Amino acid sequence: GGDRDVQTLLWRAELFLDKYDPGHAGEVVALAVKAAPQDARVQVMRAKVNLANSMDFKAADKNVNAALKTDDKLAEAFFVRAGLALRTMDLSRAEAAAKQGLKTDPGNLELLSVLAAARFLAEDRTGFSKIEESVLKINPTYSRFYTIVAEFAEWEHRYEDIVKLTRKAVAIDGRDARAYATLGLNLIRNGEEPAGLKELRKAWRRDKYNVRVYNTLELYDGPIARDYVTVEGTRFRIRYHKGDKPVLERYLPGLLNRAWSTMVERYGFSPKRP
């Protein structure tokens, strides 16, 4: 029946979003909107796609409000509303949204995870651990808990924390390809490229459809391996295009060193090297 068809479309859209393919997710959602424009679940998926495609907070907020107008107990809508607030570090609004959803669905693991993310960003380690414990009590292999928290930690560029979180994720569920992908990408962001690529290959072995993993591996196995050379041994690890290196190496190290000295003096902080 119609309702089953809509549910199938929503699952398809979720799959595309999960693989970092918001373009195709948008196409599928458009079909769902056509089939059931008033369906609250469709409105929530529109919100997710608006965020993934263009970070359109205003549109996403409108979608969530429309969903809750139709179904004021829909947990997914409260999850997106809480996420919108977390992205602007409005922690109290995020927690209020999550708690409102938990009133009708107290065991909802996504809502508990977003609540934990708020505690994490508030630097409340005790509060975070408490929720972590209760989530894993309900489902000991719910690795998505860590990838949800990591997603919001990424907004605050907490890459080292994300590495710790996703290591916990793969420890409780060795099949979680998305967790391996998040771990690998954040190791690369931390400058640990060989380790990061190793985790990305694990992600790829478990899931051949993640667009971000595919593109990153293609980049490292193709152009970077073929056309670039890396110079170590200074404050900076510099990757030059082979053709540009003779010119750039005359100017770049000096420029970077001057910037380093100025910034260290200005901020009274020395970053880790390289």
Side-chain angles (χ1 to χ4, degrees), residues 51-269:
L51 284 171
N53 257 324
S54 54
M55 275 302 140
D56 192 338
F57 283 44
K58 217 176 195 167
D61 199 39
K62 213 169 130 186
N63 300 143
V64 168
N65 291 338
L68 288 169
K69 218 172 184 167
T70 310
D71 178 355
D72 64 357
K73 291 181 171 57
L74 188 63
E76 298 156 65
F78 288 111
F79 176 77
V80 177
R81 180 178 272 178
L84 282 166
L86 273 189
R87 287 181 175 95
T88 58
M89 283 298 278
D90 189 342
L91 302 184
S92 55
R93 187 163 178 255
E95 292 189 270
K99 283 173 181 167
Q100 206 176 336
L102 285 163
K103 267 185 207 158
T104 46
D105 190 356
N108 186 292
L109 297 178
E110 282 195 327
L111 286 172
L112 288 168
S113 302
V114 87
L115 205 54
R119 290 295 84 215
F120 184 85
L121 293 176
E123 304 292 346
D124 172 11
R125 296 295 162 141
T126 314
F128 170 79
S129 300
K130 226 183 206 159
I131 303 169
E132 176 184 27
E133 209 173 293
S134 61
V135 165
L136 295 179
K137 212 174 189 168
I138 299 168
N139 181 351
T141 60
Y142 189 66
S143 54
R144 181 156 156 67
F145 171 83
Y146 296 108
T147 46
I148 287 172
V149 178
E151 195 182 314
F152 295 108
E154 193 177 321
W155 275 78
E156 295 298 302
H157 310 288
R158 305 268 291 266
Y159 305 131
E160 277 185 36
D161 284 330
I162 296 170
V163 166
K164 287 176 195 154
L165 288 163
T166 44
R167 283 203 192 284
K168 283 185 172 187
V170 298
I172 61 170
D173 183 359
R175 296 165 311 173
D176 187 341
R178 191 183 171 109
Y180 280 111
T182 309
L183 173 57
L185 290 165
N186 284 283
L187 282 165
I188 288 172
R189 282 173 171 152
N190 276 348
E192 297 176 57
E193 287 184 357
L197 290 168
K198 191 177 163 192
E199 299 304 329
L200 284 182
R201 293 190 207 289
K202 288 181 193 171
W204 184 247
R205 282 202 298 276
R206 289 161 175 78
D207 174 14
K208 299 278 195 290
Y209 295 95
N210 187 314
V211 174
R212 202 178 274 185
V213 171
Y214 174 80
N215 288 341
T216 309
L217 289 175
E218 279 285 290
L219 177 69
Y220 276 91
D221 292 340
I224 287 179
R226 191 182 58 237
D227 304 326
Y228 286 79
V229 60
T230 302
V231 176
E232 306 267 359
T234 61
R235 279 174 177 159
F236 295 89
R237 178 187 298 140
I238 305 174
R239 178 179 288 130
Y240 294 102
H241 189 280
K242 286 174 183 170
D244 298 336
K245 183 174 180 276
V247 174
L248 287 178
E249 68 184 346
R250 286 185 187 179
Y251 306 104
L252 197 64
L255 175 71
L256 288 171
N257 282 325
R258 286 196 298 280
W260 172 284
S261 306
T262 310
M263 295 289 182
V264 163
E265 196 179 327
R266 185 185 303 169
Y267 293 105
F269 170 76

